Amino acid sequence: MVRNENLKEYSLKEAKNYKIHGRTDEGQEPLPLFSQGSGIEVNVTGSELWIDVEVDFDLYEPWIWTAVNGAFLSRQMLMPGSYSLCLFRGMSPDSVKNVRFFRELQAMSADGGCCLLIRGFRSDGAFLPVSDRRYKLEFIGDSITSGEGTYGGKTDMDWLPMYMSVSRNYARMVSDALDAEYRLISQGGWGILCGWDNDPRHNIPSRYEKICGLAAGERNGKLGAGKPYDFQSWKPDAVIVNLGTNDASAFNQPEWNDPVTGQTFQQRRNPDGTYHPEDIERLKQAVVDFLGVIRKNNPESHIVWTYGMLGYDLTFAITDAMNRYQRETGDTNVAFLQLPAATEETVGSREHPGEKSHARAAKMLEEYLRTVL
Amino acid sequence: MVRNENLKEYSLKEAKNYKIHGRTDEGQEPLPLFSQGSGIEVNVTGSELWIDVEVDFDLYEPWIWTAVNGAFLSRQMLMPGSYSLCLFRGMSPDSVKNVRFFRELQAMSADGGCCLLIRGFRSDGAFLPVSDRRYKLEFIGDSITSGEGTYGGKTDMDWLPMYMSVSRNYARMVSDALDAEYRLISQGGWGILCGWDNDPRHNIPSRYEKICGLAAGERNGKLGAGKPYDFQSWKPDAVIVNLGTNDASAFNQPEWNDPVTGQTFQQRRNPDGTYHPEDIERLKQAVVDFLGVIRKNNPESHIVWTYGMLGYDLTFAITDAMNRYQRETGDTNVAFLQLPAATEETVGSREHPGEKSHARAAKMLEEYLRTVL
Amino acid sequence: MVRNENLKEYSLKEAKNYKIHGRTDEGQEPLPLFSQGSGIEVNVTGSELWIDVEVDFDLYEPWIWTAVNGAFLSRQMLMPGSYSLCLFRGMSPDSVKNVRFFRELQAMSADGGCCLLIRGFRSDGAFLPVSDRRYKLEFIGDSITSGEGTYGGKTDMDWLPMYMSVSRNYARMVSDALDAEYRLISQGGWGILCGWDNDPRHNIPSRYEKICGLAAGERNGKLGAGKPYDFQSWKPDAVIVNLGTNDASAFNQPEWNDPVTGQTFQQRRNPDGTYHPEDIERLKQAVVDFLGVIRKNNPESHIVWTYGMLGYDLTFAITDAMNRYQRETGDTNVAFLQLPAATEETVGSREHPGEKSHARAAKMLEEYLRTVL
Amino acid sequence: MVRNENLKEYSLKEAKNYKIHGRTDEGQEPLPLFSQGSGIEVNVTGSELWIDVEVDFDLYEPWIWTAVNGAFLSRQMLMPGSYSLCLFRGMSPDSVKNVRFFRELQAMSADGGCCLLIRGFRSDGAFLPVSDRRYKLEFIGDSITSGEGTYGGKTDMDWLPMYMSVSRNYARMVSDALDAEYRLISQGGWGILCGWDNDPRHNIPSRYEKICGLAAGERNGKLGAGKPYDFQSWKPDAVIVNLGTNDASAFNQPEWNDPVTGQTFQQRRNPDGTYHPEDIERLKQAVVDFLGVIRKNNPESHIVWTYGMLGYDLTFAITDAMNRYQRETGDTNVAFLQLPAATEETVGSREHPGEKSHARAAKMLEEYLRTVL
């Protein structure tokens, strides 16, 4: 390789001009990318650009994707270590290139060692300011919002980072269509009240007010994941919730037992198959409470609860809770929107919505958001 | 024209083998087709088939469409009189042709003189039995279900029969995709509680239990439109309600005054723009009551309330009512499904959903119904 | 029906403002519509418009379709007689409506009695000038250009007017997309040199220079069908030829015998399946000659020979002839364009290209024409 | 990272079971991947798979893409060095995974240092036989077949490896649709007779009979690129040529001068814009000759010359040559097929066909090949 002798190393501080995507502890250097959709964006001149990263994990490797001038170019698995990745080479040096580097993998509650940090850049060009997009959108969800199933074949059933993405995720599609920045808080298998397997710790609301309450482990803690999130720093025009799928699943699963504390939990069905009234009630209350939490932190944002990409089972429970929330608070800046269920034709790997399903849902959500933004 | 000397005239009684589509007073001869989607289907041999009709109206002319072997062939306006329409000519005489003749125009509450009757057929072939389709679906709605806007250009704003249809209607699309027979009860401008202009007489529930409570006038009365409908005679697998759009509109309209009785009616908004609690409450009660009526008459049918093709405004009101209905009755065989709102790209004439919007909604509804039928 | 007392009868002369589509003898009154795509267009105010027609045929009935303000509204079979058809009713009287009335059925060489004449209009409005479209396109072809197969089901195999159309025809689609007027000269089963069955009389070139050399019979003769066509009167920007499909077929058919004269004709294959050199040569010469005829009559028009919607067999024969034509004449204003062959997915009735196939071909041809017009 | 202690290193010889894609010198170890679409495929059990590669280049870095179980997973730039890339991790060990690893970048005539070699694998599973696909297809072309423009934004105009691909290339799409293996021989800017800039050395035929006549440099020479290709080793069902675009361009470019030898070359136009007869003649002869070369080496293969994705200018020249070739040889197992030109809507980066254009062309070519294979 003919080495480019003009490459200069830039720490983030030195690069100065860049935009951080996703919730993170922005003061950290290197900068942690905790969740899918977290990333960094630059406008840069020069012929060549590299990004310096630091990567680690115990079990689940992070994936990333990159875009130059708005177009998808690469997607790859990252191995542990501290190294540089080339984002482009050989381009006309004078033009300004918009480059985005995004984490594909959700925050990994199941792997405390999983982290991806940005140290800086190498370039022979100059870093220019990155302008804001027109809107800001926050997405809160489960495996659907983690993009599980958006890569991989229909028969693939393993639970793997490589099948998750933001690059083929409805959240990214909606945001690009609306010229919006996006932040995603989601975790596969988690719910409003409990996880798919009745694990009551696996509820998203309990993690929502931290920078990234879903990033496990001591190291992520030190990187700021557990700090309170500053909701003033980035005010979304809309908060899109996409939860309920795992809560529906819990009603079909056996009781969860905490092997340590002996605690148990179960969302029960009546003998006739209907939901046990107490259990559906606590789920509804969790919806009401979570709406309250979201509103408290986002007083001006439109909140839309989306639901359905993996079945419409809890439509009545969620809307009942939302009606109650509205009665109790008078808050009318909330909406409920069903998104089309994945079908044989649109499903991806792991029996999750595939790219086509995400695209369909994104279109409907985008159209809806156009009417309220 | 070389006359076909072998044509024989058949009254319906003589034809014997045919299938009636849509609610009607099946004992009548000639047979009235009261609503869009009402029609007659035959399997016939021979080279030629004519249908004998009787047509009248004061203001709004009926339109019809025909299909041979499942394929759309013609669509036309009918003028008053008693005459024959040729459905096919010159076909291979031995093959069996499946022929369907459908009314395009909704029952006309605004034109008591509007009627379309089938007297019989002329053919040189034989009439063979028509088999049932796999499912039966009943659709209850407003202008959307009357197919308003499915024909005509985007700038066309007149309220005219020619812009209404069943041929480009989501109800037909869903039914064809599922191999289902369909019956439609709908009226443009009408609602659950009142019409778009607050006219409280324009509520669909009040007409639901008659054969065709929407067909106005003395003549339609004599033809049986006002008779109680025999719900035992045709048990739908699913009843699809698509109402609420005009009830939403009423909240934005001035008070309705009955010029004769002086009665007034209005769905009011509070000064802050929210719905007046009493008024939204009576709307919800109307939803609850109508679900009760549908269920009473269709004890086994799945009921799905669809909503959204012209906006999602009443999502919370409808779901709140449905939740209440379920609490009060324990009836869990009901569902709520939003259909994608028409957009600039999919809208038709009269600012109503166009063919593309109907196709999109039909796909989502079809997919949903596949999961429950 | 409440009669409209303000309807006034207009002969074409009285209407004055109208545009004739398709080749016809424009001095005739009533005005004959000889071919599919022939028709009449008006811009009219008023609430109601009728068209007065005169129809006859021995075997094959004409079909028509109508459009108001650019949108398809009706399609129907016409019976013999002299009568009026209502094109719209009840519209806002002040607005100007653009109304088009088109023949769907090709000129009928097989039915000398087949004719469709326009006598005039009835309206309560005024007739305003109709502006020209941006381009003029002439299409010359066979059953594909006659739209055979664009209506009807996949299993329908009868040769019937109802399966032919201009409304779902690539020629109309291309023209609408390019804002062009169109004239069609085509006949199912005919070729460049001979018909699908080797009938040498069934060649399109022999009829091209007449107003409508394909309309058989004495009556059409009196209506002017056989008069020389005045190529000066309407100069197409492009002439699109779509011929060859039946010439390819002829090589697979037995010898044709004229029962009267005893004349025979056959396009032969060699024992090894290749084309007999003399026979393929006379076909090529027919292509060369026809290009000469088209050019002579249309000195400025771009000529594009399209081919392939029912198979690409004669690609080499046609291009060889076109190369020879170019060598001999130096005429470079000609092109050859393959259109995608119909597939299982896009085929219509009678194993002919269906609406989807026409749409695909139209897109490719439209895109091509944009680069040369 | 938790290390997988069970990984075992396999040279290709040790892996034994694998399938090589693309022309290469199969005896080499490590195995060179010379062209886009060259790659290696394995069926492997185990939880983890790595591939050991050796990479080098002076200017233009190779890109690769990978697929697991038929689904695209990653695409990335490769830096120089000898290292391992992880293809999957953490999968269920017992299932058999089909893994494909493909070079995205064309053979680089402009970078003699560019090479990509496969050394072997690391896995904790076993390598099982890889079955053949149903068909074998060889594609010969220029930048279109090199996938130039299939990645990148519309405004991107640099000539860069990252914009080229086989993953979004019509050749791959056609092959996947037909269940075919594919081999690609192509070079951006090259033609049948000369390059886009009249450089007569840049003609594909001169390189066709070597393993990879387009891979420049001493090292590629040692790797076997310049050896004669053994056409017996892999007999394509069809050879698809997609050349002519640069030959058309040459007629619009100034004379080429060899700075060293002083040799000049130009495809000239006459003053009236038509092609100079001698120059178009030598182009035609090059077509004739190349067809002869292809046929000599592939006596049984169907040869289809495709053309048009960047304009139809040479349609007559190519078909004239093909007609001559047929006359001279009697070879009828050849065809000519136009592929739809890229449009504003389907174009990609560098004013080359984008993914949508490739998809459209692939569909038409796939459909054609189904009729002859």
Short mmCIF file of all heavy atoms in Angstrom, two decimals, chain B residues 41-80:
data_model
loop_
_atom_site.label_atom_id
_atom_site.label_comp_id
_atom_site.label_asym_id
_atom_site.label_seq_id
_atom_site.Cartn_x
_atom_site.Cartn_y
_atom_site.Cartn_z
N GLU B 41 -74.38 -13.76 -9.39
CA GLU B 41 -73.27 -14.53 -9.98
C GLU B 41 -73.84 -15.80 -10.58
O GLU B 41 -74.66 -16.47 -9.96
CB GLU B 41 -72.27 -14.88 -8.87
CG GLU B 41 -71.10 -15.75 -9.33
CD GLU B 41 -70.09 -16.02 -8.20
OE1 GLU B 41 -70.36 -15.60 -7.04
OE2 GLU B 41 -69.05 -16.64 -8.47
N VAL B 42 -73.38 -16.12 -11.79
CA VAL B 42 -73.83 -17.36 -12.41
C VAL B 42 -72.64 -18.13 -13.00
O VAL B 42 -71.61 -17.55 -13.34
CB VAL B 42 -74.85 -17.12 -13.55
CG1 VAL B 42 -76.17 -16.60 -13.00
CG2 VAL B 42 -74.29 -16.18 -14.61
N ASN B 43 -72.83 -19.41 -13.10
CA ASN B 43 -71.95 -20.27 -13.89
C ASN B 43 -72.77 -20.74 -15.06
O ASN B 43 -73.81 -21.39 -14.88
CB ASN B 43 -71.46 -21.46 -13.07
CG ASN B 43 -70.35 -21.09 -12.13
OD1 ASN B 43 -69.59 -20.16 -12.39
ND2 ASN B 43 -70.24 -21.80 -11.02
N VAL B 44 -72.34 -20.41 -16.25
CA VAL B 44 -73.21 -20.61 -17.39
C VAL B 44 -72.41 -21.12 -18.59
O VAL B 44 -71.26 -20.72 -18.79
CB VAL B 44 -73.95 -19.29 -17.72
CG1 VAL B 44 -73.00 -18.24 -18.26
CG2 VAL B 44 -75.10 -19.50 -18.66
N THR B 45 -73.01 -21.99 -19.34
CA THR B 45 -72.42 -22.39 -20.62
C THR B 45 -73.03 -21.51 -21.70
O THR B 45 -73.74 -20.55 -21.40
CB THR B 45 -72.71 -23.87 -20.92
OG1 THR B 45 -74.13 -24.05 -20.97
CG2 THR B 45 -72.13 -24.78 -19.85
N GLY B 46 -72.78 -21.83 -22.94
CA GLY B 46 -73.35 -21.04 -24.02
C GLY B 46 -72.40 -19.99 -24.53
O GLY B 46 -71.36 -19.72 -23.93
N SER B 47 -72.77 -19.39 -25.66
CA SER B 47 -71.88 -18.42 -26.29
C SER B 47 -72.21 -17.00 -25.85
O SER B 47 -71.42 -16.10 -26.06
CB SER B 47 -72.01 -18.52 -27.81
OG SER B 47 -73.28 -18.03 -28.20
N GLU B 48 -73.37 -16.82 -25.23
CA GLU B 48 -73.82 -15.45 -25.02
C GLU B 48 -74.66 -15.37 -23.75
O GLU B 48 -75.41 -16.29 -23.44
CB GLU B 48 -74.66 -15.05 -26.25
CG GLU B 48 -74.84 -13.57 -26.42
CD GLU B 48 -75.39 -13.21 -27.81
OE1 GLU B 48 -75.03 -13.89 -28.81
OE2 GLU B 48 -76.19 -12.29 -27.89
N LEU B 49 -74.52 -14.29 -23.04
CA LEU B 49 -75.31 -14.08 -21.83
C LEU B 49 -75.70 -12.62 -21.70
O LEU B 49 -74.88 -11.73 -21.85
CB LEU B 49 -74.51 -14.50 -20.59
CG LEU B 49 -75.23 -14.32 -19.25
CD1 LEU B 49 -76.38 -15.31 -19.10
CD2 LEU B 49 -74.25 -14.44 -18.09
N TRP B 50 -76.99 -12.44 -21.45
CA TRP B 50 -77.51 -11.10 -21.18
C TRP B 50 -78.15 -11.10 -19.81
O TRP B 50 -78.61 -12.13 -19.31
CB TRP B 50 -78.57 -10.71 -22.21
CG TRP B 50 -78.09 -10.63 -23.62
CD1 TRP B 50 -77.64 -11.63 -24.41
CD2 TRP B 50 -78.03 -9.44 -24.42
NE1 TRP B 50 -77.30 -11.17 -25.65
CE2 TRP B 50 -77.54 -9.81 -25.70
CE3 TRP B 50 -78.36 -8.09 -24.21
CZ2 TRP B 50 -77.36 -8.88 -26.74
CZ3 TRP B 50 -78.19 -7.17 -25.24
CH2 TRP B 50 -77.69 -7.57 -26.48
N ILE B 51 -78.21 -9.93 -19.21
CA ILE B 51 -78.92 -9.79 -17.95
C ILE B 51 -80.04 -8.77 -18.15
O ILE B 51 -79.84 -7.75 -18.81
CB ILE B 51 -77.96 -9.38 -16.80
CG1 ILE B 51 -78.66 -9.50 -15.45
CG2 ILE B 51 -77.37 -7.99 -17.01
CD1 ILE B 51 -77.71 -9.46 -14.27
N ASP B 52 -81.21 -9.10 -17.64
CA ASP B 52 -82.35 -8.19 -17.76
C ASP B 52 -82.49 -7.38 -16.49
O ASP B 52 -82.64 -7.96 -15.40
CB ASP B 52 -83.64 -8.99 -18.00
CG ASP B 52 -83.61 -9.73 -19.34
OD1 ASP B 52 -82.80 -9.34 -20.20
OD2 ASP B 52 -84.38 -10.69 -19.50
N VAL B 53 -82.41 -6.08 -16.64
CA VAL B 53 -82.46 -5.23 -15.46
C VAL B 53 -83.60 -4.22 -15.55
O VAL B 53 -84.13 -3.96 -16.62
CB VAL B 53 -81.14 -4.44 -15.28
CG1 VAL B 53 -79.97 -5.39 -15.06
CG2 VAL B 53 -80.89 -3.52 -16.45
N GLU B 54 -83.90 -3.68 -14.40
CA GLU B 54 -84.86 -2.59 -14.31
C GLU B 54 -84.20 -1.54 -13.46
O GLU B 54 -83.70 -1.85 -12.37
CB GLU B 54 -86.13 -3.12 -13.65
CG GLU B 54 -87.37 -2.35 -14.02
CD GLU B 54 -88.60 -2.99 -13.38
OE1 GLU B 54 -88.77 -4.23 -13.53
OE2 GLU B 54 -89.32 -2.28 -12.68
N VAL B 55 -84.18 -0.34 -13.95
CA VAL B 55 -83.40 0.72 -13.30
C VAL B 55 -84.25 1.96 -13.15
O VAL B 55 -85.01 2.31 -14.05
CB VAL B 55 -82.16 1.07 -14.14
CG1 VAL B 55 -81.32 2.15 -13.46
CG2 VAL B 55 -81.34 -0.17 -14.43
N ASP B 56 -84.13 2.61 -12.02
CA ASP B 56 -84.72 3.93 -11.89
C ASP B 56 -83.96 4.75 -10.86
O ASP B 56 -83.22 4.21 -10.03
CB ASP B 56 -86.21 3.86 -11.53
CG ASP B 56 -86.94 5.13 -11.99
OD1 ASP B 56 -86.32 5.95 -12.70
OD2 ASP B 56 -88.12 5.27 -11.64
N PHE B 57 -84.14 6.05 -10.94
CA PHE B 57 -83.58 6.96 -9.94
C PHE B 57 -84.14 8.34 -10.20
O PHE B 57 -84.64 8.61 -11.30
CB PHE B 57 -82.05 6.99 -10.01
CG PHE B 57 -81.49 7.41 -11.34
CD1 PHE B 57 -81.27 8.76 -11.63
CD2 PHE B 57 -81.19 6.48 -12.32
CE1 PHE B 57 -80.76 9.16 -12.86
CE2 PHE B 57 -80.68 6.87 -13.56
CZ PHE B 57 -80.46 8.22 -13.82
N ASP B 58 -84.08 9.19 -9.21
CA ASP B 58 -84.43 10.59 -9.42
C ASP B 58 -83.19 11.39 -9.75
O ASP B 58 -83.13 12.09 -10.76
CB ASP B 58 -85.11 11.16 -8.17
CG ASP B 58 -86.48 10.51 -7.95
OD1 ASP B 58 -87.09 10.08 -8.95
OD2 ASP B 58 -86.92 10.41 -6.80
N LEU B 59 -82.15 11.25 -8.89
CA LEU B 59 -80.97 12.11 -9.04
C LEU B 59 -79.69 11.33 -9.29
O LEU B 59 -78.84 11.76 -10.05
CB LEU B 59 -80.76 12.93 -7.76
CG LEU B 59 -81.81 14.00 -7.49
CD1 LEU B 59 -81.61 14.58 -6.10
CD2 LEU B 59 -81.70 15.10 -8.55
N TYR B 60 -79.54 10.24 -8.60
CA TYR B 60 -78.25 9.55 -8.61
C TYR B 60 -78.35 8.21 -9.32
O TYR B 60 -78.99 7.28 -8.82
CB TYR B 60 -77.74 9.37 -7.18
CG TYR B 60 -77.53 10.71 -6.49
CD1 TYR B 60 -78.40 11.15 -5.48
CD2 TYR B 60 -76.49 11.54 -6.88
CE1 TYR B 60 -78.21 12.38 -4.87
CE2 TYR B 60 -76.29 12.77 -6.28
CZ TYR B 60 -77.16 13.19 -5.27
OH TYR B 60 -76.98 14.41 -4.68
N GLU B 61 -77.68 8.13 -10.44
CA GLU B 61 -77.77 6.93 -11.27
C GLU B 61 -76.89 5.82 -10.70
O GLU B 61 -75.77 6.05 -10.28
CB GLU B 61 -77.35 7.24 -12.71
CG GLU B 61 -75.85 7.34 -12.95
CD GLU B 61 -75.23 8.63 -12.45
OE1 GLU B 61 -75.95 9.55 -12.02
OE2 GLU B 61 -73.97 8.71 -12.48
N PRO B 62 -77.39 4.59 -10.72
CA PRO B 62 -76.53 3.48 -10.30
C PRO B 62 -75.47 3.18 -11.37
O PRO B 62 -75.69 3.37 -12.55
CB PRO B 62 -77.50 2.30 -10.16
CG PRO B 62 -78.74 2.68 -10.88
CD PRO B 62 -78.76 4.16 -11.03
N TRP B 63 -74.33 2.70 -10.89
CA TRP B 63 -73.28 2.17 -11.76
C TRP B 63 -73.12 0.69 -11.44
O TRP B 63 -73.43 0.25 -10.34
CB TRP B 63 -71.95 2.89 -11.50
CG TRP B 63 -71.88 4.27 -12.07
CD1 TRP B 63 -72.64 5.34 -11.73
CD2 TRP B 63 -70.98 4.71 -13.10
NE1 TRP B 63 -72.29 6.43 -12.48
CE2 TRP B 63 -71.26 6.08 -13.32
CE3 TRP B 63 -69.97 4.10 -13.85
CZ2 TRP B 63 -70.55 6.83 -14.27
CZ3 TRP B 63 -69.27 4.85 -14.79
CH2 TRP B 63 -69.57 6.21 -15.01
N ILE B 64 -72.65 -0.04 -12.41
CA ILE B 64 -72.40 -1.46 -12.18
C ILE B 64 -71.02 -1.85 -12.75
O ILE B 64 -70.47 -1.13 -13.57
CB ILE B 64 -73.47 -2.38 -12.83
CG1 ILE B 64 -73.53 -2.12 -14.34
CG2 ILE B 64 -74.83 -2.16 -12.19
CD1 ILE B 64 -72.75 -3.04 -15.19
N TRP B 65 -70.50 -2.95 -12.26
CA TRP B 65 -69.33 -3.52 -12.93
C TRP B 65 -69.52 -5.02 -13.10
O TRP B 65 -70.29 -5.65 -12.36
CB TRP B 65 -68.02 -3.21 -12.20
CG TRP B 65 -67.80 -3.94 -10.92
CD1 TRP B 65 -68.37 -3.68 -9.72
CD2 TRP B 65 -66.92 -5.06 -10.70
NE1 TRP B 65 -67.91 -4.54 -8.77
CE2 TRP B 65 -67.01 -5.39 -9.33
CE3 TRP B 65 -66.05 -5.78 -11.51
CZ2 TRP B 65 -66.28 -6.46 -8.77
CZ3 TRP B 65 -65.33 -6.83 -10.96
CH2 TRP B 65 -65.45 -7.15 -9.59
N THR B 66 -68.84 -5.58 -14.09
CA THR B 66 -69.00 -7.00 -14.37
C THR B 66 -67.64 -7.68 -14.44
O THR B 66 -66.64 -7.05 -14.76
CB THR B 66 -69.71 -7.24 -15.72
OG1 THR B 66 -68.81 -6.89 -16.78
CG2 THR B 66 -70.98 -6.43 -15.83
N ALA B 67 -67.66 -8.95 -14.12
CA ALA B 67 -66.44 -9.75 -14.21
C ALA B 67 -66.78 -11.08 -14.85
O ALA B 67 -67.82 -11.67 -14.55
CB ALA B 67 -65.84 -9.99 -12.83
N VAL B 68 -65.92 -11.53 -15.74
CA VAL B 68 -66.06 -12.86 -16.33
C VAL B 68 -64.82 -13.67 -15.93
O VAL B 68 -63.70 -13.19 -16.07
CB VAL B 68 -66.20 -12.79 -17.86
CG1 VAL B 68 -66.22 -14.19 -18.46
CG2 VAL B 68 -67.48 -12.04 -18.23
N ASN B 69 -65.07 -14.82 -15.41
CA ASN B 69 -63.96 -15.69 -14.94
C ASN B 69 -63.00 -14.94 -14.03
O ASN B 69 -61.78 -15.07 -14.14
CB ASN B 69 -63.24 -16.32 -16.14
CG ASN B 69 -64.16 -17.27 -16.88
OD1 ASN B 69 -65.09 -17.83 -16.29
ND2 ASN B 69 -63.94 -17.45 -18.17
N GLY B 70 -63.58 -14.15 -13.18
CA GLY B 70 -62.79 -13.49 -12.15
C GLY B 70 -62.14 -12.19 -12.57
O GLY B 70 -61.55 -11.50 -11.73
N ALA B 71 -62.22 -11.84 -13.83
CA ALA B 71 -61.52 -10.65 -14.31
C ALA B 71 -62.50 -9.52 -14.61
O ALA B 71 -63.51 -9.72 -15.29
CB ALA B 71 -60.71 -10.98 -15.55
N PHE B 72 -62.18 -8.34 -14.13
CA PHE B 72 -62.95 -7.13 -14.40
C PHE B 72 -63.08 -6.91 -15.90
O PHE B 72 -62.09 -6.93 -16.61
CB PHE B 72 -62.20 -5.94 -13.77
CG PHE B 72 -62.76 -4.58 -14.11
CD1 PHE B 72 -63.58 -3.92 -13.22
CD2 PHE B 72 -62.45 -3.96 -15.32
CE1 PHE B 72 -64.08 -2.65 -13.51
CE2 PHE B 72 -62.96 -2.70 -15.64
CZ PHE B 72 -63.77 -2.04 -14.73
N LEU B 73 -64.31 -6.66 -16.37
CA LEU B 73 -64.44 -6.38 -17.80
C LEU B 73 -65.10 -5.06 -18.10
O LEU B 73 -64.69 -4.35 -19.00
CB LEU B 73 -65.21 -7.51 -18.50
CG LEU B 73 -64.31 -8.69 -18.85
CD1 LEU B 73 -65.13 -9.81 -19.43
CD2 LEU B 73 -63.24 -8.27 -19.85
N SER B 74 -66.16 -4.71 -17.36
CA SER B 74 -66.84 -3.47 -17.70
C SER B 74 -67.33 -2.75 -16.46
O SER B 74 -67.49 -3.35 -15.39
CB SER B 74 -68.03 -3.76 -18.61
OG SER B 74 -69.09 -4.33 -17.86
N ARG B 75 -67.54 -1.47 -16.64
CA ARG B 75 -68.07 -0.61 -15.58
C ARG B 75 -68.86 0.47 -16.29
O ARG B 75 -68.33 1.13 -17.18
CB ARG B 75 -66.93 0.01 -14.79
CG ARG B 75 -67.37 0.94 -13.69
CD ARG B 75 -66.21 1.51 -12.91
NE ARG B 75 -66.68 2.08 -11.67
CZ ARG B 75 -66.91 3.38 -11.46
NH1 ARG B 75 -66.71 4.25 -12.42
NH2 ARG B 75 -67.37 3.80 -10.29
N GLN B 76 -70.10 0.66 -15.90
CA GLN B 76 -70.88 1.65 -16.62
C GLN B 76 -72.01 2.21 -15.79
O GLN B 76 -72.44 1.62 -14.80
CB GLN B 76 -71.41 1.06 -17.93
CG GLN B 76 -72.41 -0.06 -17.75
CD GLN B 76 -72.82 -0.65 -19.10
OE1 GLN B 76 -72.25 -1.63 -19.57
NE2 GLN B 76 -73.82 -0.04 -19.70
N MET B 77 -72.46 3.34 -16.22
CA MET B 77 -73.61 4.05 -15.67
C MET B 77 -74.88 3.40 -16.22
O MET B 77 -74.91 3.02 -17.39
CB MET B 77 -73.50 5.49 -16.20
CG MET B 77 -74.46 6.48 -15.67
SD MET B 77 -74.34 8.03 -16.67
CE MET B 77 -72.89 8.81 -15.99
N LEU B 78 -75.92 3.28 -15.40
CA LEU B 78 -77.18 2.74 -15.92
C LEU B 78 -78.25 3.83 -15.97
O LEU B 78 -78.43 4.58 -15.02
CB LEU B 78 -77.66 1.58 -15.05
CG LEU B 78 -76.77 0.34 -15.02
CD1 LEU B 78 -77.48 -0.80 -14.27
CD2 LEU B 78 -76.41 -0.12 -16.42
N MET B 79 -78.95 3.86 -17.08
CA MET B 79 -80.04 4.81 -17.25
C MET B 79 -81.37 4.15 -16.86
O MET B 79 -81.45 2.93 -16.79
CB MET B 79 -80.08 5.27 -18.72
CG MET B 79 -78.96 6.24 -19.05
SD MET B 79 -79.18 7.82 -18.15
CE MET B 79 -77.75 7.78 -17.10
N PRO B 80 -82.38 4.94 -16.60
CA PRO B 80 -83.66 4.38 -16.19
C PRO B 80 -84.29 3.54 -17.30
O PRO B 80 -84.06 3.81 -18.47
CB PRO B 80 -84.54 5.61 -15.92
CG PRO B 80 -83.63 6.76 -15.85
CD PRO B 80 -82.44 6.42 -16.67
#
